[in-house]
Amino acid sequence: MDAAKSLYATLSRDCPVVAIALVALGSLSLLKFAWKTTCFLLQTFVLPGKSLKKFGAKQGAWAVVTGATDGIGKEFALQLAKAGFNIFLVSRTPATLTAVGQEIEQKYPGVKTAFHAIDFAKADESAYEGLAAALKERDVSVLVNNVGKSHNMPAYLVDVPKDEMLDIVNINVTATLRVTYAVLPGMVQRKRGLILNIGSFAGAVPSPMLAPYSGTKAFLSTFSDALGAEVKKDGITVEHVNTYFVVSKLSKIRKPSLFIPTPAPFVRSVLGKIGLACGAAYSGRPNTSTPYWSHALMDYAMTLVGVKSIFIEHTHRLHVDIRRRALRKAEREAKQQ
């Protein structure tokens, strides 16, 4: 401390311009931190997001939800129906889609539902053309690109089954592109729309032993930033929802905790904070939001630390341990058969 004071005194005496510049730089950095932190706190805990009425709620508009029959996707369908949207469900199994549609219509009289069955892992051009045709004549003003796939267990790339790797890319990347491509022209024409791309912390922090999954989630962030800039002039909001673990089949987590919510409060936070960066306020990601409060705290803290290698190394160690335990469980189950 004494050395720093001595250096500053010397600079002040011999190089006053440099001293003033250093003070100004430090003051600007402090002001930036204070401003960003204030924005983060207000957006995460105080301010409401854009009203869903802006996107056609209770006006006959449709919301399309992919991966809509379970977990986060089903919860998006239910909450958007409650908000006053007709719901178009997209998933693999017709029977499950029918059941979810009936549940929504019984719970929210007056809400219409429709569905289209498609296996995004295996979908070819004709399958996507069929989906586009089913959506073409509808007033789609909300799209939730929720469908996703992760690895059966953490694995180094050389050990990842080829089919699993290809499925992850087809579901997480190709499906997002093709479904967005199908509904976007109508949104542009009507000058109204909301596109939610459900991402993952694995896209922000490169995740060893989940390399294909991590890469596809990083794609969502960049894609959302680029698309958001393209369609802002058309009144369309594009949001990459940065997500930590949520109780679901995808995460393989069954019990909620402080940092792992069930789908209902998570989806409620997403729909309540549209247009606000929340936990992503400090990072400067223009079309990213981390709306759930505990996820927001984690995202903000990680951005402040800023040394990504620390989190990469931690994630690597964590996945090594998860794989070890998963292999042991598989061995025990094999012996019991």
Side-chain angles (χ1 to χ4, degrees):
M1 182 64 72
D2 290 339
K5 289 181 178 179
S6 177
L7 176 60
Y8 178 73
T10 301
L11 286 171
S12 298
R13 183 182 66 251
D14 300 334
C15 305
V17 175
V18 175
I20 292 171
L22 289 173
V23 171
L25 183 62
S27 298
L28 286 173
S29 297
L30 185 60
L31 285 172
K32 177 185 176 182
F33 171 76
W35 170 250
K36 292 287 189 178
T37 301
T38 301
C39 290
F40 154 66
L41 293 172
L42 288 174
Q43 291 180 17
T44 304
F45 297 104
V46 180
L47 298 175
K50 295 179 182 179
S51 171
L52 291 175
K53 291 182 179 179
K54 173 182 173 63
F55 305 106
K58 298 181 180 180
Q59 300 170 40
W62 287 78
V64 176
V65 183
T66 65
T69 56
D70 189 69
I72 294 173
K74 181 179 178 181
E75 192 60 41
F76 267 113
L78 287 166
Q79 292 196 27
L80 286 167
K82 183 179 180 181
F85 290 95
N86 297 317
I87 305 299
F88 192 96
L89 306 162
V90 184
S91 190
R92 285 185 303 175
T93 311
T96 311
L97 287 163
T98 299
V100 174
Q102 290 174 345
E103 179 182 346
I104 290 171
E105 290 183 359
Q106 290 172 3
K107 195 168 186 178
Y108 303 108
V111 171
K112 300 176 184 178
T113 66
F115 70 81
H116 188 87
I118 182 172
D119 183 350
F120 286 119
K122 310 300 181 186
D124 57 12
E125 187 62 27
S126 64
Y128 279 112
E129 288 177 355
L131 175 60
L135 294 170
K136 186 175 181 180
E137 301 304 322
R138 301 179 191 275
D139 176 5
V140 176
S141 63
V142 176
L143 168 61
V144 183
N145 281 313
N146 167 74
V147 69
K149 179 178 175 62
S150 187
H151 299 263
N152 292 325
M153 70 174 72
Y156 293 113
L157 184 62
V158 294
D159 297 319
V160 175
K162 184 174 67 175
D163 288 346
E164 179 177 282
M165 178 177 65
L166 294 176
D167 285 354
I168 288 171
V169 174
N170 287 334
I171 293 171
N172 296 357
V173 176
T174 304
T176 295
L177 288 172
R178 294 302 303 265
V179 179
T180 303
Y181 192 73
V183 304
L184 190 59
M187 290 182 174
V188 171
Q189 183 181 18
R190 290 183 290 272
K191 301 298 180 183
R192 179 186 68 186
L194 170 64
I195 298 173
L196 298 175
N197 297 321
I198 308 304
S200 168
F201 273 40
V205 178
S207 300
M209 304 184 76
L210 294 181
Y213 176 77
S214 183
T216 61
K217 290 302 181 178
F219 157 81
L220 285 182
S221 175
T222 302
F223 171 66
S224 298
D225 287 348
L227 182 64
E230 289 182 12
V231 300
K232 184 178 181 180
K233 68 183 187 307
D234 300 307
I236 299 169
T237 297
V238 179
E239 195 159 281
H240 165 240
V241 182
N242 193 34
T243 310
Y244 190 58
F245 291 120
V246 176
V247 173
S248 67
K249 287 182 179 179
L250 180 65
S251 68
K252 299 181 177 65
I253 296 174
R254 298 180 180 180
K255 294 183 179 179
S257 67
L258 183 66
F259 291 99
I260 306 175
T262 58
F266 171 77
V267 170
R268 198 155 45 242
S269 73
V270 175
L271 297 180
K273 296 291 184 178
I274 299 299
L276 300 177
C278 299
Y282 197 82
S283 64
R285 290 166 284 177
N287 288 80
T288 290
S289 175
T290 311
Y292 187 72
W293 72 270
S294 62
H295 296 179
L297 289 171
M298 292 176 64
D299 190 8
Y300 193 62
M302 289 165 63
T303 304
L304 289 180
V305 172
V307 184
K308 191 172 286 188
S309 60
I310 294 174
F311 303 110
I312 295 173
E313 291 172 5
H314 169 74
T315 302
H316 192 180
R317 291 193 297 269
L318 177 66
H319 288 165
V320 167
D321 183 59
I322 292 173
R323 180 173 177 81
R324 184 185 302 115
R325 288 187 280 113
L327 289 173
R328 288 176 179 172
K329 180 181 178 181
E331 289 178 3
R332 290 196 301 270
E333 291 175 348
K335 290 178 180 178
Q336 293 173 358
Q337 292 179 354

